[in-house]
Amino acid sequence: MVVTKKIHFDTRGNGHIIDITPDVVKQLASAGLRNGTATVFITGSTTAVTTIEFEPGLLSDFKTMWERVIPKNIPYQHDAAWGESNGFSHVRASLLGPSLVIPVVEGVMVLGTWQQIVLIDFDHQPRSREVVLQFAGE
């Protein structure tokens, strides 16, 4: 069995991190998958998904890390080519990645106690984002 679902989020951009775990859990329940995998994929080249402990201190540390590793205030060829100012957001999103695969056992995603699925919008402005979920198994 393969079931595909879509969920939408409005983001604030600028590193906005959203805990999407409850939404994925809800869609998994409606899909009826007992055992298999849940794939979470974000459409968009300036947004990424991962797991993290969704806790204010760590969220702040995570945002600070991105500024140290891939700063906003340096030149990016993407900006020069397209006349935009979001080259940094493309680089950040591509480093983290657009997808995540989570095992499903007895109808429950196998996540750690402090592990939540998050969407991070690195773009420099608010956006409407679509997450594609694909549940595969039995």
Side-chain angles (χ1 to χ4, degrees), residues 3 10 16 18 20 29-30 32 42-43 53 56 67-68 73 76 78 81 86 90 111 113 115 131 136:
V3 177
D10 291 323
H16 184 198
I18 302 171
I20 66 170
S30 74
I42 182 70
T43 60
E53 181 178 350
E67 193 55 38
R68 283 192 305 255
N73 61 351
Y76 290 91
H78 174 77
N86 69 346
H90 288 277
L111 293 169
T113 302
Q115 190 174 31
V131 177

Side-chain angles (χ1 to χ4, degrees), residues 32-37 104-107 136-138:
L33 181 74
R34 296 294 305 151
N35 295 290
T37 58
V104 176
V105 177
E106 298 301 323
E138 54 187 18

Side-chain angles (χ1 to χ4, degrees), residues 93-110:
S94 66
L95 184 62
L96 192 54
S99 66
L100 183 64
V101 177
I102 304 150
V104 176
V105 177
E106 298 301 323
V108 178
M109 287 186 294
V110 180

Side-chain angles (χ1 to χ4, degrees), residues 2-64:
V2 176
V3 177
T4 303
K5 306 256 185 179
K6 295 180 182 179
I7 49 180
H8 295 86
F9 299 92
D10 291 323
T11 70
R12 297 188 304 259
N14 295 303
H16 184 198
I17 302 172
I18 302 171
D19 179 2
I20 66 170
T21 311
D23 300 277
V24 178
V25 167
K26 181 179 176 182
Q27 293 301 321
L28 173 60
S30 74
L33 181 74
R34 296 294 305 151
N35 295 290
T37 58
T39 300
V40 180
F41 180 84
I42 182 70
T43 60
S45 60
T46 57
T47 308
V49 294
T50 191
T51 61
I52 193 171
E53 181 178 350
F54 195 76
E55 171 275 317
L58 188 54
L59 297 179
S60 178
D61 293 339
F62 200 61
K63 288 180 181 181
T64 301

Side-chain angles (χ1 to χ4, degrees), residues 106-126:
E106 298 301 323
V108 178
M109 287 186 294
V110 180
L111 293 169
T113 302
W114 306 113
Q115 190 174 31
Q116 289 82 41
I117 304 165
V118 296
L119 174 154
I120 304 105
D121 190 341
F122 292 111
D123 213 334
H124 64 297
Q125 62 184 340

